[in-house]
Amino acid sequence: MSYICPLCAEPLSQNDKAYKCENRHSFDVAKEGYVNLLPVHKKSSIDPGDNKEMMLARREFLNKGFYQHLSGKINDLVSELSHGAENLLDIGCGEGYYTGRLAESLKNNGVIKVHGLDISKTAVKLAAKRYKAVSFCVASAFDTPFANDSFDSVIRVYAPSELTELQRIIKEGGFLITVSPGPKHHWFLKTVIYSEPKKNSDDNDSLDGFKLVQSERLQSLINISEASDVANFLNMTPYAWKLTETQKSQLCEQGVKCELDFKIQIHKRC
Ligand SMILES: C[S@@+](CC[C@H](N)C(=O)[O-])C[C@H]1O[C@@H](n2cnc3c(N)ncnc32)[C@H](O)[C@@H]1O
Ligand SMILES: [Zn+2]
């Protein structure tokens, strides 16, 4: 796998501390080790993606292991699907929790290279600082800086993406593993916010150019008792904006028992 230039689509090669294409476009490697391949004119805002507050809340919360079983499940699935020398991508990787743990779990499985991409520079900076075995870049999932057929598997955990890009960068026979909210995900919080909460769809997603080969749900109940953990839980989700300050303080004070329902699907590129 090699990066392509976000300006002219020619291959980028790394020399010293920068990636360069034959048209002399150059992208510095940051001190944390990531490369920013999101040209200014392709940014939708000054600081696109999840903001720093959400990112730090997510990192603190995930650090406590509340979603570790999901990470373990992803690692097992990728390991079962992989066959030696592989290029993997975590698209919309955030602060790198799943990406870093994936790289760690696969480090003895042949020559596997794990990449992470996110549009948020804050997220990628945090990720690259902590997970040195992963190659991170700042870029948009809608216009990725990768050559055609670059990846054997791509994971996408609660992140947006563009189907044509996934079709382009995943090799024939390769896999896309998606994690999205199942029907009962975060049900308790929804009952606090909405008078008539609605379940997420349980439909299987069918993606053009892919065959759905596996679909399952990973359901559990988490018990979050410490106020700081509850605050991080709320702040890493869009619910933070929907709850009043009083509701938030009450939840932090009394703790939260909440349903987790992850819908995990494996799509094979055909
Ligand atoms: C809900 S978070 C999930 C992060 C990570 N996968 C996780 O589960 O911890 C969604 C992520 O998608 C990123 N994102 C949003 N729009 C994006 C885009 N157009 N391209 C790449 N990443 C994007 C956000 O910055 C954020 O990190
Ligand atoms: Zn170029």
Side-chain angles (χ1 to χ4, degrees), residues 230-247:
V230 175
N232 286 329
F233 180 52
L234 301 177
N235 286 336
M236 74 172 201
T237 70
Y239 302 119
W241 294 301
K242 303 216 163 85
L243 292 160
T244 63
E245 287 307 312
T246 318
Q247 283 175 317

Side-chain angles (χ1 to χ4, degrees), residues 16-262:
D16 203 15
K17 288 277 174 208
Y19 283 91
K20 293 182 178 159
C21 74
E22 63 178 34
N23 294 319
R24 298 194 180 170
H25 299 126
S26 179
F27 305 88
D28 290 343
V29 176
K31 70 172 189 305
E32 294 83 1
Y34 70 90
V35 57
N36 188 340
L37 297 173
L38 184 66
V40 178
H41 70 275
K42 290 192 181 174
K43 281 188 180 184
S44 54
S45 66
I46 293 175
D47 187 18
D50 284 6
N51 63 37
K52 192 164 186 179
E53 198 189 0
M54 282 175 87
M55 211 57 72
L56 291 174
R58 182 178 304 266
R59 168 153 284 188
E60 288 297 308
F61 183 79
L62 293 174
N63 266 344
K64 292 280 184 96
F66 289 108
Y67 284 13
Q68 194 169 312
H69 60 303
L70 173 61
S71 165
K73 180 75 195 176
I74 293 170
N75 295 350
D76 290 347
L77 289 174
V78 175
S79 172
E80 281 161 26
L81 297 172
S82 73
H83 46 261
E86 301 228 325
N87 274 307
L88 311 177
L89 170 68
D90 182 3
I91 198 160
C93 62
E95 54 70 57
Y97 177 76
Y98 300 102
T99 343
R101 288 177 54 88
L102 180 64
E104 179 62 28
S105 85
L106 294 174
K107 70 178 182 208
N108 298 324
N109 282 32
V111 191
I112 291 189
K113 184 72 205 150
V114 180
H115 301 260
L117 170 152
D118 201 282
I119 203 167
S120 159
K121 188 169 147 188
T122 310
V124 169
K125 207 182 241 185
L126 281 172
K129 220 173 185 170
R130 178 175 285 183
Y131 304 110
K132 295 294 178 197
V134 178
S135 298
F136 288 100
C137 67
V138 179
S140 171
F142 293 84
D143 186 9
T144 66
F146 305 115
N148 296 352
D149 304 317
S150 282
F151 295 104
D152 300 278
S153 289
V154 171
I155 65 169
R156 186 189 71 190
V157 185
Y158 286 77
S161 65
E162 171 75 39
L163 181 58
T164 50
E165 275 300 80
L166 297 172
Q167 291 166 342
R168 188 179 70 72
I169 64 176
I170 299 176
K171 293 176 187 168
E172 191 181 329
F175 297 94
L176 168 68
I177 300 174
T178 58
V179 180
S180 51
K184 294 287 277 183
H185 197 53
H186 292 169
W187 185 251
F188 166 73
L189 284 184
K190 286 184 171 179
T191 63
V192 177
I193 297 168
Y194 306 108
S195 52
E196 289 182 33
K198 290 195 175 61
K199 288 185 183 166
N200 298 312
S201 152
D202 190 24
D203 292 347
N204 280 328
D205 306 320
S206 100
L207 303 176
D208 262 2
F210 291 85
K211 182 172 184 265
L212 182 68
V213 290
Q214 194 172 316
S215 180
E216 62 183 288
R217 281 165 64 189
L218 187 64
Q219 295 187 77
S220 58
L221 191 67
I222 42 168
N223 195 346
I224 315 172
S225 50
E226 274 184 40
S228 57
D229 293 337
V230 175
N232 286 329
F233 180 52
L234 301 177
N235 286 336
M236 74 172 201
T237 70
Y239 302 119
W241 294 301
K242 303 216 163 85
L243 292 160
T244 63
E245 287 307 312
T246 318
Q247 283 175 317
K248 280 198 225 171
S249 336
Q250 272 171 358
L251 291 173
C252 287
E253 213 168 283
Q254 73 200 27
V256 163
K257 267 200 182 99
C258 188
E259 299 78 359
L260 299 181
D261 182 0
F262 301 109

